[in-house]
Every structure is written in C-alpha cells, then in structure tokens.
Amino acid sequence: MDVACVHCRDYDLGRVRDSVERLLSSPFIAGRVQGREEVLLKVNCLNPHPPERGVTTHPALVRALCDALRERGAKVKVGDSAGGVRGKAHTAQALKASGLAQAALEAGAEVVNFDAQKAVPVTNLRKEGPDPLYLAASLRQGNLVINVPKLKTHLFTGLSAAVKNCYGGLPGAYKHQLHRDYPEVSEFSDVLVDVCLAVAPELCIMDAVWSMEGNGPAMGTLVNTGLLLATTDPFVMDMAACQVVRWPFDSVSTNRQARRRGLMDENQAILVWGDPLQGQNQRPFRRPLSMSLTHRIPGWLLAVAFDWLQPTVVVDDETCTGCGFCVDSCPAQAMSVKHGRATVHRDRCIACYCCVELCRQQSVDLKRRYWVRWQESYGGRTR
Ligand code: SF4
Ligand code: SF4
C-alpha cells in the first residue's frame, strides 16, 4: 500500500482520535510507530494564526497523535520553525497562537522551537544545490520524524503538502537566505526537494480535514476536504494531494523537479488503504493568482497582454500597521516602511511572495498589474 486514507469531517477531538487510531493501525504504518522511544512531530506553524484560519496544522490532530504515540510508549516532541527572520520569539508566538504548543503540553509532549536550537550541517547529495544544508538539531537526534503538514495551495510552488512542509526544518534566517540565493521557482523547488531528502521523514500524516485553496499558504480560503492521510513517502503524499485538490501532477513545481530527478512517477497508481482517496470537495481547488495565468487565460490573450496580466504584490495601507516584518523577511530587499506603512519596490521584487505569506495583518495581497497601474494612475491607494 502507498497511502492510508481515513475520512474525518471535522476537528471534533473524539472523531480525530478515532481517525488517527485507524490510520496508525493500517498494516504498513502500525509497525513504524510501535515501540519507538522518541517521536518528533514536525508540524506546520507558518505564522502566529489561530487554528480556525487553517494556516497551521490543526491542534486537534497534534493532540490525538501525541496521545496515540504516548500510549504506544514513545516520548513525543512537537516542533517547527515559523516563517520569516525574527527567530525564536516569532516561532514561539506561532506555536502559541496556533494552539499547537497547548495541544502538545496537554498531551504531555515537549514543545521544540527549532529556532532556539543549534542548526546541524547535513550533506546535500545534489552537487548543484546548497551544501551543506542546516537542519534543526532535533531532526538529527535519532527521533522517528513524522512530518505533519497541512494541505494548502501555495503562491510560489503551487501546493504546500509533505515536501514543502520539510522546509520548516531549517532555521528562520537560513530559509530566508536560500530564498534569496535560489530566486527562480524551478531552482528553489529543487532546494525544497533537497531539504525533504535531508529531513527524510519516516512517516507523513497530513491534515486535510479543512484545506486551503486560492492564495495559500496564508491568504486562501478553506475547503472542507474531510481527510486524514498517512504514508511513508513524502513524494507519494504530494501525488495523493494532487488527487485531492484535483490538479494535474505538473501544477506543482516540486513535483516537476522531483520527477526530473527520478523521485516521482506521475504514472504510478497510488494504492490506497482505508477509505476512498477522494475529498468532500466536488470541484478542483481554486489556484493561486500567481498560477492562474496559464490555466485560466486563453493563449492568444496571454501573448498580447502578458505584462499587464502578471500578478504583483500590493499593500493595503488601511490595514498595514508598519510593523516592518515584511521588510525584514523580503529576500530581495524590495520592501520598506515609509510614514508608518509598507511600500513595495516592484523593480526589485523577485515574486517569492514571502510578504503575502507572512503579513499577520493580511495587508499584502496579489493583484494583476493592469489593476495596480489603473489604481496608481487614478489616485488609488496601492503601494
Ligand atoms: S504589510 Fe504587513 S508585515 Fe508589512 S509592515 Fe504592513 S502590517 Fe507589517
Ligand atoms: S516584495 Fe514580497 S514578493 Fe517581492 S521579493 Fe519581497 S517578499 Fe518577495
């Protein structure tokens, strides 16, 4: 079997516990979690957002996993590094606001702030990639690493599922540096594949109870897909994720790089244990605006108006507080704060969309260039 699938319609703790027990009892998963001394749950806690926003792995899943693993005799840790460059204080805020720290502590697990740890070098086997890669020490301390991603769309890569979630295994400032050093989506996606191979999670358990479509991983809208999935292979999990969101394999940049490197085969049939691998969503997920050009707009229109139709980042100066987090986190130094509000210097922007992902006020969004130019010409408020 490749993937264990259990339908779970909401985050009612009793229902999630039953679903987790079913997942962990599936024949190809059960042997991996029995009798392990230490387990690290590598969650997704991108930014300080409450669980109902659907940006982070849901605490009910983490609570149920901690309880189930502790009952099997393991000492459990829950950890991540949040996005941006503000280090351990920011990650601590994200772990708290998302409810993940509380869920872990109530279950008797340890909370691990990856940004408070020493980063350890790991050899990157790909010659052209960054070498070494620096991972949080907990990922290298003999723990069984279980990758616990949230299923979300992603402005830069297409989807954030098992492969992308491994990137949080790098400390904050180092994530930022790699964004700057590998700005193109194809080369950055290669780095994401490198990081996934370095983290090498032995198991992946994905929260797809409520998933995110549109401008994910932070500005999208939620879809009740009603699934929990488990597999031993993060690349297979991402193929399953494509099936759930009903997108072709090629829509996701990490899939394309992994296929090129012989790590994924889009023609591989996924063998499913448990419930059918089909979300409650009756239609394909809405794509992020950054991806929708080639999928929604006819080729002839794209050819004549590409520059005008390209999306670009804009700041809403009504809600921007001038906190400067986007300025610190922009790998291209393409943002600044003037008169207490953020401004984008579009000539320097490398379209990584970190600012959209990381603004806690949700003040940064994507708009098509023709809209921005029209607003700027006729006295609008975009920056
Ligand atoms: S856009 Fe967001 S992150 Fe940037 S300064 Fe404004 S509120 Fe802060
Ligand atoms: S302005 Fe935003 S999208 Fe552009 S490079 Fe900076 S963080 Fe990335």
Side-chain angles (χ1 to χ4, degrees):
M1 288 295 161
D2 297 316
V3 172
C5 174
V6 171
H7 291 183
C8 179
R9 68 173 188 268
D10 59 30
Y11 291 113
D12 171 77
L13 186 57
R15 206 171 345 264
V16 176
R17 279 190 209 281
D18 291 346
S19 304
V20 162
E21 279 303 328
R22 269 189 78 201
L23 277 184
L24 297 186
S25 67
S26 62
F28 70 110
I29 303 288
R32 305 251 177 186
V33 293
Q34 201 61 50
R36 303 297 289 249
E37 277 183 22
E38 286 199 338
V39 179
L40 172 70
L41 302 179
K42 194 285 170 205
V43 294
N44 182 332
C45 86
L46 173 69
N47 230 8
H49 289 296
E52 58 274 16
R53 284 274 332 279
V55 174
T56 49
T57 307
H58 199 278
L61 173 59
V62 170
R63 174 68 199 262
L65 279 170
C66 289
D67 287 342
L69 292 162
R70 278 171 51 79
E71 277 164 24
R72 286 163 172 78
K75 182 175 171 224
V76 184
K77 300 175 186 173
V78 175
D80 197 15
S81 162
V85 293
R86 290 197 174 165
K88 68 180 182 186
H90 183 64
T91 294
Q93 276 181 357
L95 285 164
K96 186 174 176 200
S98 59
L100 289 165
Q102 190 182 345
L105 292 172
E106 283 176 0
E110 183 187 339
V111 179
V112 184
N113 181 332
F114 286 176
D115 284 311
Q117 293 197 315
K118 193 168 171 284
V120 293
V122 177
T123 302
N124 187 352
L125 298 175
R126 185 171 65 96
K127 275 206 312 286
E128 309 80 23
D131 188 26
L133 290 160
Y134 291 93
L135 299 188
S138 286
L139 293 163
R140 277 287 171 276
Q141 286 171 344
N143 298 301
L144 160 66
V145 176
I146 304 184
N147 184 18
V148 194
K150 176 92 180 167
L151 176 58
K152 300 184 287 182
T153 47
H154 197 281
L155 287 163
F156 198 51
T157 58
L159 272 188
S160 174
V163 173
K164 176 72 179 66
N165 194 48
C166 291
Y167 200 55
L170 313 180
Y174 181 52
K175 288 200 283 287
H176 175 82
Q177 181 194 322
L178 292 180
H179 252 299
R180 190 189 59 219
D181 294 348
Y182 298 87
E184 291 295 324
V185 67
S186 57
E187 57 185 358
F188 184 71
S189 298
D190 248 336
V191 174
L192 291 174
V193 171
D194 294 340
V195 174
C196 180
L197 292 172
V199 172
E202 210 175 307
L203 266 184
C204 301
I205 297 180
M206 186 158 74
D207 172 5
V209 176
W210 282 87
S211 308
M212 186 176 282
E213 67 173 357
N215 286 347
M219 291 283 282
T221 47
L222 297 186
V223 181
N224 186 205
T225 35
L227 299 174
L228 289 172
L229 304 177
T231 177
T232 55
D233 184 335
F235 298 101
V236 167
M237 182 67 92
D238 282 18
M239 285 174 65
C242 279
Q243 224 163 289
V244 174
V245 304
R246 301 176 182 225
W247 287 0
F249 174 95
D250 264 344
S251 309
V252 182
S253 61
T254 44
N255 288 359
R256 297 192 293 270
Q257 298 310 316
R259 177 180 57 192
R260 187 182 55 76
R261 292 163 64 172
L263 297 163
M264 279 174 114
D265 175 4
E266 65 190 290
N267 298 315
Q268 179 192 336
I270 299 176
L271 300 175
V272 181
W273 178 94
D275 297 330
L277 180 54
Q278 192 174 11
Q280 294 186 161
N281 48 313
Q282 299 300 312
R283 55 168 179 77
F285 271 31
R286 280 189 307 109
R287 290 168 190 267
L289 194 67
S290 51
M291 287 177 72
S292 59
L293 263 186
T294 46
H295 290 90
R296 284 203 203 131
I297 297 172
W300 65 267
L301 181 56
L302 204 54
V304 295
F306 182 78
D307 185 49
W308 286 83
L309 293 171
Q310 278 279 69
T312 187
V313 287
V314 294
V315 178
D316 174 8
D317 63 5
E318 298 277 326
T319 55
C320 171
T321 61
C323 71
F325 190 39
C326 57
V327 177
D328 296 346
S329 305
C330 172
Q333 296 172 310
M335 297 193 85
S336 61
V337 171
K338 278 188 199 153
H339 311 300
R341 297 289 182 270
T343 299
V344 183
H345 305 283
R346 294 200 178 85
D347 52 331
R348 279 184 250 152
C349 175
I350 57 170
C352 68
Y353 308 126
C354 290
C355 50
V356 185
E357 209 173 294
L358 295 173
C359 174
R360 286 167 69 176
Q361 309 299 323
Q362 298 188 282
S363 301
V364 192
D365 203 353
L366 282 189
K367 299 281 182 201
R368 298 218 186 271
R369 280 192 193 153
Y370 69 83
W371 184 91
V372 174
R373 286 171 186 165
W374 185 86
Q375 287 279 312
E376 286 172 349
S377 303
Y378 296 98
R381 301 177 69 96
T382 57
R383 287 166 180 263

